[in-house]
Structures are given as structure tokens and as C-alpha cells.
Amino acid sequence: MNIGFIGLGVMGAPMAGHLVDAGHNVVVFNRSRAKIEQLELRGAVGATSPAQVGEKADVVITVLPDSPDVEEVLFGAGRVLTALRPGSLVIDCSTIAPESARDFAARLADRDVAFVDAPVSGGEAGAVAGTLAVMMGGEKDAVRRAGEVLDAMAATTVHVGPAGAGQLVKAANQMLVAGNIAMVAEAVSLLRRTGVEVDAALTVLNGGLAASKVLEVKAPKMLARDFAPGFRVDLHHKDLKIALAAAEQARIAVPLTGVITQLVQALRSAGDGGLDHGALIKALERLNGMSPDSP
């Protein structure tokens, strides 16, 4: 299959790599040439513009930071839509506003191009392992076609509704992940302050009802002060704002999400927006007058 891939960041690069390894003809574009060269060594073809990706591909996948980035790549001058052929498919694996996904789907449909919003969950580790969960919104046939492509990089692909539905499910996902990280950070802070054997405590917590992927993965990194970005604080803040806006439109209260969003904002205000979202423990430590090396 001829697949175009735009956006070779922490998530995008390994995702594109799985498509190459699966034997697809993959043409890639990224603002940083170095990321393109790494995939060229594995068999991908580098492009010099989004339009060139559209010329060579029947399916185009985007993994970009936010709605304006996706819009610019798809619809800007000399961009993907200028070269896409009728009958092509765009799969957007970015996390963007649901209303943006619906708008993009309608605009592409006017040109006989199908669109699936397919945000992913699983973080950098899931992208590298090829075990992502993908929540797909769009028409049934377009979702079927998208699933055939995404199976190379995902363990779970589910059709959750019409265009925009994937983004709504991703908003819920980001609420749950942020809430879990915040509670892990609070629990770890409590254990440290009270002198408990923290490693032993984490072992027993991971064996009971409190067990979670977030507890398993993030707690040891919090203790090791390993905040290398698997998923940046700035991006999670953007996602939580999407969730809050969706809740506002649905006329429901999400008070815990609001509080956690403020904690994340506090991290950004302190200059920690580029760290992994597990750095949320730093916001809790500041509130409690704790340092990394003292109880």
C-alpha cells in the first residue's frame, strides 16, 4: 500500500517505522530533516513537502500537535489536499478538538477524500512496541480501510462513532490518564513523607485493586526523577483543555479534571512544560514543601 506519513515526533517516528517494517511503500515528511533520514535508512522515501506526500500516497496519516497544525498541512497552500486524488483516505492520529475533526471530514468529503479521526493511546512505549490503542471516528468504510493500515502499529483499533467521536473518546482517555497520574503522584508523595519503604509499597499496590498501567510505569520514573518526555506536559495540558471544552458543550461538570488542569498549568508556569507528564509530582512536591532528596 502507498502510505504517506506526516509528523515524525516521539509518537510518529516509531509508528511510521512499523508501516515500513510491514512492507508498505511509505513516504514521510517532517519539519526536521534528521527524522526523515532515520526512516530513509529503514526503507522509507523522504518527501520535501506535504504536497509531495499527497502525490505519492493513497492513504495519508498525520500525527501533529494540534488542530491548526493539521489544518495547515491538509489545506494550506501547497499542502496535502492540492495533490490528493479522489478516493484517497486521510487518517489523523493527532489529538485535536472534535469540532475540528468534523470540519476536516466535511471539507475533505467535498473533494471525494475520506477522513478518519484516529487518535492513539499508549504513549511512546506503545508506539515503539506497536501496541497502541486507536479510537476511530468516521464513516464505516473509511474506518475499515483505516484499520487495515493501523493494524501494523496498534494492538486495539475500535470504531467509536462518526467523525469527531474518536477525539471525544481520546478526551476521556486523557482525563483518566491525567487523573491517574495525579493520584499516583499524591500517593508517592505520602509514602515518601511518612518514611515507608516506597519500593515495597509499590510492589504491593501493584498487586491489588490500586494496580494500573500508570502506577506501574510512572511511579518508578517519579522516584528516579526520570522526566524525559514520553508525552509532554504542554501537550497534556492542551488535551485537558479539549476535554474541558467538550464537557462545557455537553453541559456536564468535571471538577476533578478542572483541578488537575490547574496543577498541570502550574507545572507549565514553572517552566516544566517540556517534561513528561509524570512530572506532575513536582507540582505536588512544591505544594507540600518537599524536595526530591528529602521527606
Side-chain angles (χ1 to χ4, degrees):
M1 193 177 298
N2 298 316
I3 300 173
F5 204 104
I6 300 175
L8 303 175
V10 169
M11 300 290 290
M15 291 165 67
H18 288 303
L19 293 171
V20 175
D21 294 342
H24 295 294
N25 302 314
V26 183
V27 56
V28 297
F29 176 76
N30 192 69
R31 287 180 296 183
S32 168
R33 176 66 193 171
K35 294 290 187 74
I36 296 175
E37 291 172 351
Q38 291 169 12
L39 281 162
E40 286 177 327
L41 293 174
R42 296 176 60 177
V45 175
T48 58
S49 69
Q52 193 174 69
V53 172
E55 290 172 1
K56 296 177 179 293
D58 303 309
V59 177
V60 174
I61 299 173
T62 51
V63 185
L64 299 165
D66 205 350
S67 302
D69 305 292
V70 178
E71 182 170 28
E72 174 61 21
V73 160
L74 293 181
F75 304 106
R79 301 300 178 170
V80 171
L81 191 57
T82 63
L84 278 177
R85 294 175 291 276
S88 299
L89 170 65
V90 172
I91 306 170
D92 180 35
C93 293
S94 317
T95 299
I96 63 174
E99 56 269 25
S100 295
R102 290 189 287 267
D103 174 57
F104 299 161
R107 291 161 68 181
L108 288 169
D110 288 341
R111 298 285 293 272
D112 194 24
V113 174
F115 177 85
V116 173
D117 57 298
V120 302
S121 179
E124 181 184 12
V128 171
T131 57
L132 294 169
V134 188
M135 42 224 82
M136 296 185 287
E139 297 294 331
K140 184 176 181 179
D141 184 63
V143 167
R144 177 191 59 77
R145 292 169 61 194
E148 293 173 355
V149 176
L150 296 172
D151 280 345
M153 63 182 77
T156 305
T157 57
V158 180
H159 186 194
V160 296
Q167 297 298 343
L168 286 167
V169 176
K170 181 61 185 288
N173 180 89
Q174 297 302 79
M175 293 165 70
L176 289 166
V177 171
N180 205 340
I181 291 175
M183 291 308 301
V184 168
E186 289 192 0
V188 169
S189 297
L190 174 65
L191 295 173
R192 286 184 56 226
R193 174 60 64 85
T194 53
V196 171
E197 288 288 341
V198 180
D199 290 339
L202 293 178
T203 297
V204 70
L205 290 172
N206 271 309
L209 189 59
S212 72
K213 194 68 175 177
V214 168
L215 179 63
E216 175 188 343
V217 173
K218 296 299 182 183
K221 290 190 174 185
M222 290 176 184
L223 292 170
R225 315 308 290 180
D226 179 4
F227 302 130
F231 189 73
R232 289 187 287 115
V233 167
D234 281 339
L235 288 176
H236 211 143
H237 181 258
K238 179 262 298 182
D239 295 351
L240 289 171
K241 288 174 64 180
I242 290 172
L244 290 172
E248 178 72 18
Q249 292 175 11
R251 299 175 64 84
I252 65 166
V254 286
L256 296 180
T257 300
V259 169
I260 294 165
T261 302
Q262 289 298 303
L263 287 172
V264 173
Q265 177 57 46
L267 274 177
R268 299 175 73 238
S269 297
D272 292 331
L275 300 182
D276 184 79
H277 52 180
L280 193 55
I281 193 170
K282 295 180 69 175
L284 271 298
E285 290 170 344
R286 290 175 183 130
L287 282 174
N288 291 301
M290 298 173 66
S291 73
D293 302 317
S294 63

